[in-house]
Amino acid sequence: MILLSNHAVVYVISDSVGETAEFVVRAAVSQFEYTHLEIRRVPYVMDRETILETVQAAKEEKALIAFTLVLPEMQHFLTEEAIKAEVPYVDIMGPMMDGLSKLIQSEPKRKPGLIHKLDEEYFRKVEAIEFAVKYDDGRDPRGLLRADVVLIGVSRTSKTPLSMYLAHKRLKVANVPLVPEVEPPDELYLIPSERCIGLIIDPSQLNNIRKERLKALGLTSGANYASETRILEELDYAERIIRRVGCPRIDVTNKAVEETANIILDMKKGGYTR
């Protein structure tokens, strides 16, 4: 194809958004001393009429067609029409799927839009992680109203690790420490009780956990933070708050973070009873 001007056009045809094909085209054109390339995206193509119209437009403009169509019948129709119209084309997805199919001895799903779906899941995960960091340890009570799950409990009941683990499951989680000297935020009593989960723990295990924490900080294990009296006071206060909120509770004694998280996920799916 000989260009009669310094302007070239590439039509990007996709049965999804078309971002993949456009990215490949832009990456390829960056290897040329040519900056006057116009990319025209034709997304969500599921009918033959759109393909015919695009092939005709490409013929009139002496353009190239790049496509990512996963349905075989649409692929064949496009290539047949492009050949008839003498329009050059590049199948971006097909050769890679064929190669992978031979490598792993399996047929592809042939479902349009899967890449975009994966992208959406990834960004939801990132958003959930950012949410967990922003609303960790009761930093901003406004986050409680937007959270999918609110965790409450005394210090060292794994609120932060649980928040991060659940964030990787795309749940927006906020957590609030329960301390006798600090009244919980008003927002805690405004959210539906089923969105809140109280974390309880055996006093003796909490005592051991806190002593180890103090050692790690280079402090004496006799500090009030790890005293039996203080722990019982905190747990009693937490119990009163949990009852007032009316939320379900989970005993995290001897439970790994993953185990507690799975219980919470079951609760969100409706498969857990108090």
Side-chain angles (χ1 to χ4, degrees):
M1 178 173 63
I2 300 175
L3 290 174
L4 301 179
S5 68
N6 63 350
H7 181 76
V9 176
V10 175
Y11 280 92
V12 168
I13 300 177
S14 175
D15 44 27
S16 183
V17 182
E19 291 175 338
T20 302
E22 181 172 345
F23 179 81
V24 172
V25 172
R26 292 192 183 281
V29 80
S30 69
Q31 301 298 316
F32 296 86
E33 295 294 336
Y34 192 91
T35 57
H36 304 287
L37 181 76
E38 180 181 354
I39 299 175
R40 298 178 185 172
R41 199 189 294 185
V42 187
Y44 302 112
V45 175
M46 301 299 291
D47 62 283
R48 298 189 174 199
E49 187 63 32
T50 302
I51 290 177
L52 284 172
E53 292 174 357
T54 307
V55 169
Q56 183 58 38
K59 180 178 180 180
E60 294 173 359
E61 297 184 79
K62 295 182 172 58
L64 170 70
I65 291 177
F67 67 91
T68 52
L69 298 172
V70 299
L71 297 176
E73 59 270 26
M74 300 301 283
Q75 293 175 356
H76 297 155
F77 183 75
L78 190 153
T79 55
E80 288 174 359
E81 294 302 316
I83 291 170
K84 288 180 188 176
E86 298 183 339
V87 172
Y89 64 86
V90 177
D91 181 357
I92 291 175
M93 188 78 76
M96 178 57 72
M97 286 200 302
D98 290 342
L100 287 173
S101 181
K102 293 175 183 176
L103 176 67
I104 62 180
Q105 297 293 299
S106 176
E107 288 298 314
K109 296 177 180 179
R110 302 286 183 183
K111 291 182 180 179
L114 288 182
I115 290 178
H116 187 58
K117 181 180 178 181
L118 290 173
D119 287 345
E120 287 180 343
E121 290 181 355
Y122 171 78
F123 286 117
R124 280 201 300 269
K125 181 188 293 185
V126 171
E127 184 182 7
I129 293 171
E130 291 176 346
F131 187 95
V133 171
K134 183 174 182 180
Y135 299 111
D136 180 46
D137 207 32
R139 289 177 187 167
D140 186 345
R142 292 174 298 181
L144 304 186
L145 301 176
R146 297 174 46 216
D148 298 316
V149 176
V150 176
L151 303 175
I152 59 174
V154 301
S155 173
R156 313 314 295 177
T157 49
S158 301
K159 296 185 299 299
T160 296
L162 272 171
S163 296
M164 297 306 300
Y165 187 96
L166 292 169
H168 280 81
K169 301 296 182 180
R170 298 179 296 281
L171 285 179
K172 293 180 179 178
V173 185
N175 70 76
V176 178
L178 299 181
V179 184
E181 293 78 16
V182 181
E183 184 68 21
D186 294 337
E187 288 83 354
L188 183 61
Y189 306 108
L190 298 177
I191 61 176
S193 60
E194 64 270 14
R195 288 215 326 246
C196 183
I197 296 171
L199 304 177
I200 60 174
I201 189 171
D202 178 76
S204 60
Q205 184 177 18
L206 181 58
N207 180 260
N208 292 331
I209 292 173
R210 288 191 175 183
K211 283 181 178 179
E212 290 300 319
R213 176 61 175 164
L214 289 174
K215 286 181 184 178
L217 295 174
L219 302 174
T220 173
S221 60
N224 187 48
Y225 175 73
S227 73
E228 292 182 7
T229 302
R230 174 63 182 181
I231 286 173
L232 290 173
E233 178 188 359
E234 288 187 31
L235 290 175
D236 181 65
Y237 174 75
E239 184 67 33
R240 294 200 303 271
I241 297 299
I242 291 171
R243 283 201 302 266
R244 181 178 172 186
V245 174
C247 64
R249 68 192 67 198
I250 299 175
D251 188 344
V252 300
T253 306
N254 296 321
K255 283 188 175 67
V257 169
E258 294 86 350
E259 186 179 356
T260 305
N262 286 332
I263 294 174
I264 294 172
L265 292 170
D266 284 343
M267 293 169 74
K268 292 296 291 181
K269 294 175 184 175
Y272 181 87
T273 56
R274 301 185 209 181

